Amino acid sequence: KVKAMFSPEYYVFESSEVLSIVNRLIDQVVIPVSLLASFSLFVAIIVISNTMYLSIIDRKREIGIMKAIGASNLTVLKNLAVENLVIGAIGGILSLVILYMFFVGISLILQIGNTPISFAILIGIFMLSLFVTVLASIIPAYNTSKIRPLSVLRYE
């Protein structure tokens, strides 16, 4: 009935049409942003893994000395895992602080009442950073903990 009231040069939207248009626009924005975020997460995992691997490989002499004075493979592995877990926790906390400040800034700019990020998402990001850090450090630490101390100390 409303469409019949207006001339053909005007187009009348029904609420369902407006909702479908808005949903399509949101999908067009959210999908590329999600892909970009996924790619960034993948790159971050690669960078964290590479950094942890190189830091453990560079410490072969220290590990060789620890093993020469009687440390077992498990002791070396625990030592490296705890150290890298602390590094991952500090990195995770710093990333959460930066992320939260970013969302607060966006909320102030867009004049949104509250911060549009939930506490569960922040905890999930923190746990993911810890998991990636521990996983990235355990594999090279396990391989490095099996080295023979004499072979390392001989060449250093």
Side-chain angles (χ1 to χ4, degrees), residues 87-101 126:
I87 291 171
I90 291 170
I93 289 170
L94 285 175
S95 68
L96 290 181
V97 167
I98 292 169
L99 180 70
Y100 190 77
M101 287 174 40
F126 179 71

Side-chain angles (χ1 to χ4, degrees), residues 9 20 23-24 45 52 60 79 84 101 108-109 116 128 134-135 155:
E9 59 195 41
S20 69
N23 283 336
R24 279 185 283 167
I45 289 172
M52 292 297 166
K60 276 188 177 180
N79 190 6
N84 288 323
M101 287 174 40
L108 291 174
I109 290 171
L128 180 65
V134 169
L135 187 66
Y155 294 110

Side-chain angles (χ1 to χ4, degrees), residues 30-47:
V30 168
I31 290 172
V33 169
S34 298
L35 289 174
L36 183 63
S38 300
F39 182 71
S40 299
L41 180 64
F42 179 72
V43 169
I45 289 172
I46 297 296
V47 168

Side-chain angles (χ1 to χ4, degrees), residues 18-32:
V18 172
L19 186 61
S20 69
I21 290 172
V22 169
N23 283 336
R24 279 185 283 167
L25 287 173
I26 288 173
D27 287 343
Q28 289 177 352
V29 170
V30 168
I31 290 172

Side-chain angles (χ1 to χ4, degrees), residues 133-151:
T133 304
V134 169
L135 187 66
S137 67
I138 290 293
I139 295 169
Y142 179 75
N143 292 336
T144 308
S145 70
K146 290 189 166 220
I147 61 173
R148 292 179 25 182
L150 291 179
S151 62

Side-chain angles (χ1 to χ4, degrees), residues 34-81:
S34 298
L35 289 174
L36 183 63
S38 300
F39 182 71
S40 299
L41 180 64
F42 179 72
V43 169
I45 289 172
I46 297 296
V47 168
I48 289 170
S49 300
N50 188 30
T51 303
M52 292 297 166
Y53 179 76
L54 290 176
S55 72
I56 290 174
I57 295 300
D58 287 344
R59 296 174 55 191
K60 276 188 177 180
R61 182 170 187 200
E62 177 184 331
I63 294 168
I65 292 171
M66 286 172 57
K67 292 200 55 148
I69 61 172
S72 67
N73 290 348
L74 187 61
T75 304
V76 171
L77 190 61
K78 283 181 189 178
N79 190 6
L80 292 173

